[in-house]
Amino acid sequence: MVSPPHEAMHRIFQHDPGLFSRVAPLLGIAVPTIVETTVLPSAIDTDNPAGCRQNTQLHLETAGKGAFLLLIEAQVRRDLHRPAHWAHHISYLWTRHRLPTALLIMCSDLETAQWAGQPVSSVPVQPPALTLRPFVASPDDLPLITDLEEARADPALAALSAVMHPADPRIGPALEALSTSLRDVPDLLAYPLTGLIEVGLSLHPARYVWSELMKPIIREKHRERARVEGITQSRRESLLLVLAERGLVLPEDLRRRVMWCLDPETLRRWLSRAVTASSSEVIFDD
């Protein structure tokens, strides 16, 4: 069973599927130019063996070289049983999708990475029926990002480096740069990443540093969300008031559309039209 911190190492690739194309050169992996990356929905694949769901599976389309799959796993320590599981997962994906499949193992320490990177053969006789040769990422391969501009340029890579180096003496400045870089990232992208960082640091004292750094950011985000929600509610009420004053009746479907609308700019546009519209349908004709 993979612990939450190590699970975070591969789940960051789900948050930013394009991350592998930026990590590959750091690992010395020679791959064709990747033009599109898609996360395979392994978690909801009922035919997928249970063991194949505790990882990240990517479909990568290359420029002129076809597509291939990448299985990303996290390894906590040496485990002589794991290579057989990896071989099983690779074979399963290869058979199911009929695409060549590679394996990347994320390791939190150098010793585990050195063990995981050794080729493993299925039997001692030569030549073996199957030899597994995974790609491996260790903390030495992904340096800790402490520079603010580097973190801003690639928050996902900075997050991965922080999760890979939780005990590094420079983790404080790295987390400070990372938290600052996330201030300008849209909530839809920032919140999953901040949660993965929290999970990735959950077994280390660095989690307290991250928690303290995130408190003012969370308060700021909450204030901005409350401000937008207040504007939205005000415009919704104004729109309904104008409609009532002008005697324009809203059918139930249009009333639901107004009540469910969370975009203040859309409500502003409807409110402007409501002042002179000849019918309620004209207001919502987008």
Side-chain angles (χ1 to χ4, degrees):
M1 180 67 68
V2 176
S3 65
H6 292 84
E7 182 182 359
M9 287 193 297
H10 69 78
R11 285 186 59 199
I12 290 176
F13 289 89
Q14 298 177 19
H15 167 76
D16 185 350
L19 178 59
F20 174 71
S21 64
R22 308 192 298 275
V23 167
L26 301 177
L27 304 179
I29 301 175
V31 295
T33 301
I34 298 171
V35 295
E36 184 179 0
T37 305
T38 307
V39 179
L40 296 182
S42 60
I44 59 174
D45 184 353
T46 56
D47 294 329
N48 199 334
C52 290
R53 301 178 193 176
Q54 299 170 358
N55 50 46
T56 293
Q57 303 167 18
L58 302 180
H59 178 282
L60 302 105
E61 193 72 39
T62 67
K65 299 294 183 179
F68 71 98
L69 303 182
L70 178 69
L71 176 68
I72 305 177
E73 297 224 14
Q75 189 62 32
V76 182
R77 62 183 68 86
R78 290 168 59 102
D79 182 347
L80 297 180
H81 298 291
R82 289 307 297 171
H85 287 282
W86 297 334
H88 169 64
H89 298 171
I90 292 293
S91 299
Y92 169 80
L93 291 174
W94 193 359
T95 302
R96 179 176 177 82
H97 298 280
R98 297 293 193 270
L99 288 173
T101 306
L103 171 64
L104 172 61
I105 304 173
M106 308 298 298
C107 299
S108 59
D109 66 274
L110 185 58
E111 181 181 355
T112 302
Q114 291 173 341
W115 165 78
Q118 297 176 359
V120 179
S121 297
S122 56
V123 291
V125 298
Q126 297 298 323
L130 176 67
T131 299
L132 184 69
R133 290 184 172 89
F135 300 121
V136 175
S138 74
D140 286 1
D141 300 311
L142 301 173
L144 183 63
I145 295 177
T146 58
D147 181 75
L148 175 57
E149 294 309 314
E150 287 187 48
R152 278 179 171 155
D154 199 333
L157 182 59
L160 180 61
S161 78
V163 171
M164 296 280 282
H165 295 267
D168 191 292
R170 302 167 298 157
I171 189 64
L175 293 178
E176 185 172 356
L178 183 53
S179 64
T180 301
S181 72
L182 291 175
R183 290 177 184 270
D184 301 326
V185 176
D187 290 355
L188 187 63
L189 299 176
Y191 279 141
L193 200 55
T194 57
L196 288 171
I197 296 167
E198 182 178 356
V199 170
L201 300 175
S202 61
L203 298 183
H204 299 272
R207 70 183 185 275
Y208 299 112
V209 177
W210 182 248
S211 177
E212 288 301 315
L213 288 170
M214 290 307 298
K215 283 180 181 178
I217 297 178
I218 292 173
R219 285 197 295 266
E220 180 181 330
K221 296 284 188 181
H222 283 176
R223 282 196 297 268
E224 176 62 17
R225 185 179 297 109
R227 185 186 71 84
V228 173
E229 288 176 353
I231 294 174
T232 301
Q233 181 63 20
S234 176
R235 290 179 179 176
R236 184 183 294 116
E237 292 173 354
S238 296
L239 173 59
L240 294 175
L241 179 61
V242 169
L243 291 171
E245 289 290 332
R246 298 198 59 222
L248 296 177
V249 178
L250 275 184
E252 186 59 29
D253 61 328
L254 292 182
R255 178 171 291 276
R256 284 198 302 269
R257 190 174 176 186
V258 171
M259 299 308 296
W260 290 350
C261 181
L262 301 178
D263 180 20
E265 287 306 307
T266 298
L267 289 166
R268 181 197 60 78
R269 184 171 67 251
W270 291 344
L271 176 59
S272 177
R273 293 176 182 174
V275 175
T276 57
S278 57
S279 68
S280 56
E281 287 75 9
V282 173
I283 299 171
F284 303 98
D285 184 9
D286 292 330

